[in-house]
């Protein structure tokens, strides 16, 4: 006759009570019916549509959304855009977003470009997207060089303030805008270049931004004069 040893609960020496280690749970047996029901719930059309919307939204724009009920005071560009000063609206597509202009850029006054430049430091959707696309449209339109010239001092001042941002997304957008500005006005930017180079070289120490800074400096060095200004501040450049 075989006898089985009975192993009772392990008694804790400190409390005199059964130890929690002595109680072992049996593994839960899977119910095929319950598993099938859960699987069907995951694949409902409503769930699939929700996942699709989340996926496409994240691909189109990864910036955080602006909350109209947050009580946060509006900045200059946000108030300017919502009051209808920019004469455009953001059009969402399946793959990207673009601006639909109610008045062509060529027919709009360029004194609003410094306000658009200030919008580049906003890190919320849709304002950061609108500012970036509007700045690109104004700097690439026909006759942009002559029309930007009277506003270039204000634009450079806004660019310097934009480069004080701590957001990597904002800074990369500002560097792109600087390249667009340089291509538009070319050597007209040289007399203001020193004000731009100082904050740019400071960001060059950041490994995440170094490539973007170098690319921007290459565009800013449009001629020998610009190259000399950059090398005085950044001797290893070029």
């Amino acid at each position: 006759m075989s006898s089985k040893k009975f192993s009772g609960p392990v008694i804790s020496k400190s409390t005199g009570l059964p130890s929690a280690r002595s109680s072992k749970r049996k593994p839960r047996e899977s119910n095929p019916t319950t598993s099938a029901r859960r699987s069907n719930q995951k694949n409902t059309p409503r769930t699939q549509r929700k996942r699709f919307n989340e996926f496409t939204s994240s691909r189109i724009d990864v910036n955080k959304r602006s909350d109209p009920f947050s009580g946060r005071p509006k900045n200059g560009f946000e108030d300017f855009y919502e009051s209808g000063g920019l004469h455009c609206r953001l059009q969402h597509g399946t793959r990207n977003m673009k601006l639909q202009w109610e008045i062509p850029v060529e027919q709009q006054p360029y004194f609003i470009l410094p306000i658009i430049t200030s919008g580049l430091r906003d890190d919320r959707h849709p304002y950061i997207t609108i500012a970036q696309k509007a700045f690109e449209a104004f700097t690439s339109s026909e006759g942009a060089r002559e029309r930007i010239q009277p506003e270039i001092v204000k634009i450079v001042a806004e660019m310097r303030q934009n480069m004080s941002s701590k957001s990597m997304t904002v800074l990369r957008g500002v560097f792109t805008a600087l390249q667009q500005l340089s291509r538009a006005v070319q050597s007209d930017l040289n007399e203001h270049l020193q004000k731009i180079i100082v904050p740019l070289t400071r960001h060059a120490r950041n490994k995440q931004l170094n490539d973007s800074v170098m690319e921007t400096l290459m565009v800013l060095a449009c001629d020998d004069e610009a190259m000399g200004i950059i090398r005085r501040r950044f001797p290893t450049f070029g």
Side-chain angles (χ1 to χ4, degrees):
M1 181 176 180
S2 62
S3 60
K4 295 182 179 180
K5 290 184 178 181
F6 175 75
S7 59
V10 179
I11 304 300
S12 174
K13 292 181 180 180
S14 59
T15 61
L17 298 175
S19 174
R21 292 179 296 176
S22 62
S23 58
K24 297 182 179 179
R25 291 185 179 181
K26 293 183 178 180
R28 183 180 296 177
E29 297 180 359
S30 60
N31 189 334
T33 307
T34 306
S35 299
R37 188 183 302 115
R38 289 176 179 172
S39 178
N40 292 335
Q41 289 176 354
K42 292 179 181 178
N43 295 321
T44 59
R46 182 176 181 180
T47 306
Q48 291 176 353
R49 184 166 58 251
K50 182 180 179 182
R51 288 179 180 175
F52 175 78
N53 290 337
E54 291 175 352
F55 175 73
T56 52
S57 297
S58 63
R59 286 192 63 185
I60 291 174
D61 198 320
V62 296
N63 300 303
K64 60 185 179 181
R65 272 53 178 167
S66 175
D67 183 6
F69 305 104
S70 63
R72 174 178 171 175
K74 296 181 180 180
N75 57 38
F77 176 74
E78 181 181 351
D79 189 55
F80 174 75
Y81 172 73
E82 291 187 354
S83 64
L86 195 54
H87 303 290
C88 70
R89 55 192 177 90
L90 190 62
Q91 187 175 13
H92 293 75
T94 55
R95 292 182 177 272
N96 52 26
M97 291 176 288
K98 62 181 181 179
L99 293 181
Q100 184 173 352
W101 296 94
E102 299 169 0
I103 299 177
V105 175
E106 293 78 11
Q107 298 179 17
Q108 297 203 45
Y110 266 63
F111 66 78
I112 67 174
L113 191 53
I115 302 175
I116 296 172
T117 309
S118 69
L120 296 172
R121 58 178 171 267
D122 198 329
D123 60 349
R124 299 167 301 158
H125 176 79
Y127 305 109
I128 183 173
T129 308
I130 295 169
Q132 290 173 352
K133 292 187 177 297
F135 190 90
E136 180 182 8
F138 272 74
T139 53
S140 61
S141 67
E142 186 178 356
R145 182 175 185 175
E146 293 75 17
R147 302 186 70 186
I148 291 174
Q149 181 60 39
E151 309 297 331
I152 197 167
V153 174
K154 296 178 182 178
I155 294 171
V156 170
E158 293 292 346
M159 284 292 187
R160 280 179 56 87
Q161 190 171 350
N162 293 347
M163 283 189 280
S164 65
S165 173
K166 296 180 180 180
S167 169
M168 296 294 171
T169 303
V170 169
L171 288 172
R172 289 191 181 96
V174 172
F175 298 156
T176 301
L178 276 173
Q179 297 174 31
Q180 294 164 352
L181 178 65
S182 179
R183 292 188 182 101
V185 300
Q186 301 176 19
S187 59
D188 292 347
L189 193 60
N190 289 353
E191 60 180 302
H192 311 283
L193 205 54
Q194 186 64 33
K195 298 177 182 178
I196 298 173
I197 298 301
V198 173
L200 259 181
T201 53
R202 191 162 49 242
H203 288 301
R205 303 168 192 167
N206 189 324
K207 293 181 179 179
Q208 299 181 22
L209 297 172
N210 183 265
D211 291 343
S212 298
V213 171
M214 292 297 109
E215 183 182 352
T216 303
L217 289 173
M218 289 296 295
V219 177
L220 291 173
C222 61
D223 55 19
D224 293 339
E225 181 186 1
M227 181 66 77
I229 296 171
I230 294 173
R231 282 181 175 171
R232 281 197 293 271
R233 183 69 188 183
F234 207 149
T236 59
F237 176 74

